[in-house]
Amino acid sequence: MITGIKGTRLRKAVAVAVTSGAMLATGALTAAPAQAVTKPSIVAKGGYVMNNANAKTLYTKAADTKLSTGSTTKIMTAKVVLAQSNLNLDAKVTIQKAYSDYVVANNASQAHLIVGDKVTVRQLLYGLMLPSGCDAAYALADKYGSGTTRAKRVSNFIGKMNTAAKNLGLTHTHFDSFDGIGNGNNYSTPRDLTKIASSAMKNSTFRTVVKTKKYTAKTITKTGSTRTMSAWTNTNTLLSSYSGAIGIKTGSGPEAKYCLVFAATRNGKTVIGTVLASSSITQRATDATKLLNYGFATI
């Protein structure tokens, strides 16, 4: 009989040898160890993922490369609005013809706001983030920028967006538009955009808006009657396809290609990230899904 510490070690060694032999016989050793997670390959030019709780980086691909952001720009638009002092979400904004003309001229995504209607700031935020309404973005920039003319107010609002980026310590981000339809100088990086989104997600109104799949606004017409708008559907397909998804914003454009800033919570942990310049609507969701799965596996 084998006794003592040496005996225990010998028995363990025999057990390991037997187990190893059995595993070799079944080919079980060809499986990767549970802790080894393969870094995913994505089509998007740039990607970044972090643990939202402590900002720990979980994945990078050209994470600090400046790229066009498309309508993911609207995350900062919403953040600036929600940061206004004494913000009244029920304050009403009258929709101007300029907003409508702007989306038509730029063939831009819109919330189909009706000229003359009174729309609350809260409703404009849903119109901004769900259907990615550039008309809603214009209305918010006009409302919360300072100046004697619309052009000055819009310029001032964009200035606030850039100040907010600086205040977050971001050095690779610049906005020249309130909605992502830039003039050649509207860019960010996957890392910077993720940080902007993480900051915005600290606001409860923002969190509520970006996880909403559908929203129907009731606006007030010129005559004082109530208009029930067609429902706004969130362009972020992950809300329906990815378990635990909580946002955040899509973007697209000729230069930006297909972008998605995303976040999901599982088992009390939140993973947040960005893909920029993917190849299609479907592919950006596939890229984001891969990165979320990787994030949760490595967090």
Side-chain angles (χ1 to χ4, degrees):
M1 182 176 176
I2 304 168
T3 59
I5 294 172
K6 286 183 179 177
T8 303
R9 283 176 181 162
L10 183 58
R11 279 198 301 274
K12 282 182 178 176
V14 171
V16 167
V18 171
T19 305
S20 298
M23 288 175 77
L24 279 169
T26 60
L29 279 186
T30 57
Q35 68 271 24
V37 184
T38 305
K39 183 177 175 180
S41 171
I42 59 171
V43 172
K45 280 186 184 176
Y48 181 79
V49 177
M50 73 180 192
N51 178 347
N52 196 51
N54 57 14
K56 182 187 176 186
T57 296
L58 303 174
Y59 173 94
T60 64
K61 176 185 176 180
D64 300 309
T65 300
K66 294 175 183 176
L67 293 165
S68 177
T69 55
S71 284
T72 60
T73 297
K74 291 170 179 143
I75 295 169
M76 183 60 97
T77 309
K79 177 176 161 57
V80 168
V81 170
L82 290 165
Q84 298 300 305
S85 56
N86 303 313
L87 178 67
N88 177 9
L89 290 168
D90 297 315
K92 290 182 173 62
V93 176
T94 302
I95 303 306
Q96 305 295 319
K97 188 172 182 292
Y99 314 156
S100 179
D101 290 345
Y102 172 80
V103 291
V104 171
N106 289 282
N107 192 27
S109 54
Q110 58 176 305
H112 297 283
L113 300 170
I114 309 295
V115 175
D117 277 13
K118 289 183 172 59
V119 185
T120 68
V121 172
R122 189 191 312 274
Q123 290 168 338
L124 287 172
L125 287 167
Y126 279 97
L128 174 78
M129 300 304 281
L130 273 63
S132 200
C134 295
D135 44 357
Y138 199 163
L140 289 166
D142 193 9
K143 165 81 172 167
Y144 291 105
S146 299
T148 52
T149 65
R150 185 174 292 121
K152 286 179 180 176
R153 290 191 292 273
V154 167
S155 178
N156 175 264
F157 184 88
I158 295 167
K160 290 181 181 182
M161 293 169 68
N162 285 312
T163 297
K166 285 192 183 74
N167 289 344
L168 287 172
L170 309 181
T171 56
H172 302 311
T173 296
H174 185 268
F175 300 106
D176 69 359
S177 75
F178 49 75
D179 58 1
I181 302 175
N183 299 301
N185 205 23
N186 199 93
Y187 58 81
S188 189
T189 69
R191 191 192 306 267
D192 279 10
L193 208 44
T194 302
K195 289 181 177 179
I196 292 168
S198 179
S199 174
M201 288 292 273
K202 291 175 182 174
N203 182 283
S204 61
T205 299
F206 185 89
R207 289 196 305 273
T208 298
V209 170
V210 298
K211 73 179 181 185
T212 301
K213 293 179 187 176
K214 262 190 187 338
Y215 181 87
T216 302
K218 292 182 184 296
T219 62
I220 306 301
T221 69
K222 286 177 186 176
T223 59
S225 62
T226 301
R227 183 196 308 279
T228 302
M229 300 286 289
S230 295
W232 292 324
T233 301
N234 202 317
T235 54
N236 181 9
T237 58
L238 286 188
L239 293 173
S240 298
S241 68
Y242 195 87
S243 175
I246 55 172
I248 296 174
K249 185 73 188 75
T250 60
S252 61
E255 188 184 354
K257 305 304 180 192
Y258 296 89
C259 311
L260 182 56
V261 181
F262 51 86
T265 299
R266 288 183 177 178
N267 301 318
K269 294 178 179 177
T270 299
V271 170
I272 187 167
T274 299
V275 289
L276 293 179
S278 193
S279 59
S280 69
I281 288 173
T282 305
Q283 189 60 51
R284 72 182 171 196
T286 300
D287 286 345
T289 297
K290 284 182 180 180
L291 295 191
L292 281 166
N293 288 341
Y294 182 73
F296 283 117
T298 55
I299 198 167

